[in-house]
Amino acid sequence: MKPELRKIFDAAESEDRGLTAREVAAVINSIPAEERMARTEILAAVNGENGPSAAETRDSIAETLKYMEMRAVDAREDRATVDREAEIRALVEKAGTVVVPNGGSGFPDESSAWRSILPSGNEFRTLLNTGSPGSGGYAVPAKTADTYVEHLRAASVFLRVPGINVHRFEGGVFTLPNLTSSTTPGVVAEGAAIPEGTATFAGLSFPPIKYADLYRASNEVLDDAAFEMRNLISGVMIRNIATQVDKDAFQGTGTASLAGLTKAGMGTAVNLSVGNTVVKWDHIIDAFSDIEAAGAVPAVIWASPDMGKALRKERENGSNGGYLAGQVTDRVTEKGLGLPIYVSANLPAKTVIVADPTRLHIGVRSDVRVAVSEDFGFDKDLTAFRATYRVAGLAVDAPSALQVIKASAT
């Protein structure tokens, strides 16, 4: 960028503003007439929705100038190449022979882009065709895009909920102190001794659980892949671990995994009677009231996909009338009874959980770590990628603050 233009953009950036009318005019007047594209793009940015006074407009104009200069450099190089080709063609026509220019060593140098040009007088003419391998197809390699596409993965709906207690700890075992009981105060007469209260504590202990993933790749594919294969591998491992932790947080058995929220004893199980094959808002209202009665505050609804659909489509009069979760013009997918609704395929079918997230606790020993080793497969020229994540269990400090509603199968 020209020095005078650089001063304009540096001043605007330091003041966190766009460009003034005088500065815009200076930029446009500095552009050669043949660069009509750049002029058009700058005027479009100035007259756009942000206007000339926005910092975004300033950045857009700077980007346009940068690409204009890049195009100018490419054009100069192309013209120089054409001039060299024309010169060598003229020399070869005079000589009547095929001459391949070189850098003095007998081999073509990198700047000799015209080294394979044949003179028009005695060139060998043939049809080169990519569709026929023998007629030129072998000269055109197969092209792989420099990006990749992967299947979408559901984001974690457990740790996304605000209010969940995430405890970071050090050491081998995570212990969560828990006040299990205390004495009830009574009425004390004037001048009488106040009875001493007692409190009973317990500790919920969780040894860290490690989730791990391992991939190996040959160094050839890492070096030659069209896209950044290392980023793909590390991203897949991190998302795989996150998905598995999210699944275990809901339905883990506690054996070689987290104890999930639906495990017996974690919360209060509400198993609907035969015939109640769908969880309804009446059941959620009951759970809401039970949580309040325990001194907790309901703040989230988790639902399996089948129950999420049923709740959002439940109507005032059964099959007709308004939707209980709100009208179709409302954002009915977000809330019910004022609580956010999170739908996750990681919940067992026919399950709805109503909870006070502040009564849920999870320990984290170490975040997800990705390590790379070129020695793992040293004899095979391989590189290994490893991801680990250590968590220390999931606990509910008051089972009545977690209501797990299960619809009947029949």
Side-chain angles (χ1 to χ4, degrees), residues 38-350:
R39 288 171 175 259
T40 301
E41 292 175 355
I42 291 175
L43 289 174
V46 169
N47 296 322
E49 59 181 4
N50 294 322
S53 60
E56 293 83 359
T57 303
R58 179 200 66 218
D59 295 338
S60 176
I61 294 175
E63 192 75 5
T64 298
L65 292 177
K66 182 181 74 172
Y67 284 109
M68 181 194 74
E69 294 174 354
M70 293 172 60
R71 290 194 298 267
V73 171
D74 292 340
R76 287 195 296 269
E77 293 178 352
D78 291 342
R79 286 194 296 270
T81 300
V82 171
D83 292 341
R84 289 197 301 269
E85 291 178 359
E87 181 181 358
I88 195 61
R89 281 185 179 275
L91 293 173
V92 169
E93 282 183 342
K94 288 183 179 180
T97 57
V98 177
V99 176
V100 179
N102 58 71
S105 60
F107 298 96
D109 61 18
E110 293 181 353
S111 64
S112 302
W114 35 266
R115 59 185 177 273
S116 61
I117 294 177
L118 295 174
S120 57
N122 36 327
E123 63 186 348
F124 175 73
R125 298 181 179 276
T126 185
L127 176 63
L128 299 180
N129 192 328
T130 60
S132 175
S135 296
Y138 286 120
V140 182
K143 176 64 177 175
T144 299
D146 58 358
T147 57
Y148 58 89
V149 178
E150 63 173 318
H151 295 292
L152 294 177
R153 296 182 181 275
S156 171
V157 296
F158 177 71
L159 292 177
R160 190 197 313 172
V161 174
I164 293 179
N165 299 284
V166 179
H167 304 279
R168 297 186 178 276
F169 69 99
E170 297 180 356
V173 176
F174 169 53
T175 300
L176 178 67
N178 186 20
L179 177 63
T180 58
S181 65
S182 62
T183 54
T184 302
V187 177
V188 179
E190 181 180 358
I194 301 175
E196 181 180 354
T198 59
T200 303
F201 286 88
L204 300 176
S205 298
F206 303 94
I209 299 171
K210 180 170 67 178
Y211 290 83
D213 206 3
L214 179 71
Y215 279 80
R216 290 179 294 176
S218 70
N219 286 324
E220 285 85 354
V221 74
L222 294 177
D223 292 339
D224 301 339
F227 52 85
E228 184 51 64
M229 183 69 73
R230 295 172 184 267
N231 289 343
L232 170 63
I233 294 174
S234 60
V236 166
M237 291 192 300
I238 292 173
R239 286 188 290 272
N240 283 351
I241 289 178
T243 300
Q244 187 61 44
V245 171
D246 193 55
K247 181 179 181 180
D248 289 349
F250 286 115
Q251 53 179 316
T253 62
T255 302
S257 69
L258 292 174
L261 297 182
T262 57
K263 182 178 181 293
M266 290 290 284
T268 301
V270 181
N271 296 312
L272 303 184
S273 59
V274 174
N276 293 293
T277 59
V278 174
V279 177
K280 296 183 175 295
W281 285 109
D282 285 348
H283 306 128
I284 293 180
I285 292 173
D286 290 342
F288 193 106
S289 301
D290 290 340
I291 293 175
E292 286 183 320
V297 180
V300 64
I301 297 174
W302 283 298
S304 57
D306 52 350
M307 295 300 97
K309 293 177 181 178
L311 287 174
R312 289 166 175 168
K313 293 190 296 185
E314 190 173 348
R315 296 192 173 193
E316 295 172 349
N317 300 315
S319 60
N320 53 47
Y323 291 100
L324 293 180
Q327 300 304 313
V328 293
T329 55
D330 299 332
R331 304 185 68 174
V332 298
T333 61
E334 284 193 353
K335 291 186 177 182
L337 298 177
L339 307 185
I341 301 175
Y342 293 93
V343 176
S344 173
N346 289 328
L347 269 77
K350 293 184 174 293

Side-chain angles (χ1 to χ4, degrees), residues 2 4-5 25-40 42 64-65 68-69 71-73 76 79:
K2 298 178 181 179
E4 58 272 17
L5 296 183
V27 170
I28 294 178
N29 291 334
S30 69
I31 300 174
E34 59 270 16
E35 285 290 343
R36 295 185 178 87
M37 182 184 300
R39 288 171 175 259
T40 301
I42 291 175
T64 298
L65 292 177
M68 181 194 74
E69 294 174 354
R71 290 194 298 267
V73 171
R76 287 195 296 269
R79 286 194 296 270

